[in-house]
Amino acid sequence: MTERFCCMVMRMNIDCNGCYRKVRRALLEIQELDTHLIEMKQCKVSVCGRFKPQEIAIKIRKKTNRRVEILEIQEFSSNNEQSHEEKPLMITSWNLESNQNQFATCR
């Protein structure tokens, strides 16, 4: 599957300037991202580029050790058609474990 250009809005807990710098540094290290916007007061992070949204959310989660919740994903195809998808998705350390461990903890 080829990666299409998309923009994603995430909710992250950004309390102080140290948290802001940590998130900013993590975003700058991810090469797939073209642009990013960090809204500290609204606790939102917007990123644009050619990437798979879940993979980027997981990378940010691993680098910052903070919960990442995907609020909105906009994918743009080459025909200038826009497919819009709104599914809240939370990436936590529990979601990153293997499927077998997830089912074992639910029993």
Side-chain angles (χ1 to χ4, degrees), residues 94 97-107:
W94 185 79
E97 296 175 1
S98 69
N99 289 338
Q100 294 174 347
N101 291 339
Q102 288 178 0
F103 292 123
T105 58
C106 293
R107 292 181 187 172

Side-chain angles (χ1 to χ4, degrees), residues 10-73:
M10 301 169 285
R11 180 181 298 143
M12 295 181 69
N13 193 12
I14 304 172
D15 297 328
C16 60
N17 287 336
C19 298
Y20 174 86
R21 284 193 303 269
K22 190 178 199 179
V23 170
R24 184 174 180 269
R25 193 175 309 124
L27 293 174
L28 290 172
E29 288 176 3
I30 299 174
Q31 295 177 356
E32 293 96 341
L33 301 180
D34 292 338
T35 60
H36 69 272
L37 173 65
I38 302 172
E39 300 176 63
M40 192 168 160
K41 294 195 184 214
Q42 289 84 17
C43 293
K44 290 185 180 179
V45 177
S46 302
V47 293
C48 293
R50 292 193 171 274
F51 56 83
K52 294 179 183 172
Q54 282 83 9
E55 290 179 6
I56 294 299
I58 290 170
K59 281 184 183 181
I60 294 171
R61 163 72 176 106
K62 286 181 179 178
K63 289 183 182 212
T64 62
N65 199 24
R66 297 195 169 277
R67 189 182 75 185
V68 176
E69 182 180 352
I70 298 175
L71 300 177
E72 183 179 351
I73 300 170

Side-chain angles (χ1 to χ4, degrees), residues 62-102:
K62 286 181 179 178
K63 289 183 182 212
T64 62
N65 199 24
R66 297 195 169 277
R67 189 182 75 185
V68 176
E69 182 180 352
I70 298 175
L71 300 177
E72 183 179 351
I73 300 170
Q74 292 182 344
E75 291 185 359
F76 299 96
S77 65
S78 59
N79 306 6
N80 289 335
E81 294 176 12
Q82 179 180 354
S83 88
H84 186 70
E85 178 180 330
E86 285 189 37
K87 286 193 236 176
L89 174 68
M90 291 174 36
I91 305 295
T92 62
S93 59
W94 185 79
N95 287 0
L96 298 176
E97 296 175 1
S98 69
N99 289 338
Q100 294 174 347
N101 291 339
Q102 288 178 0

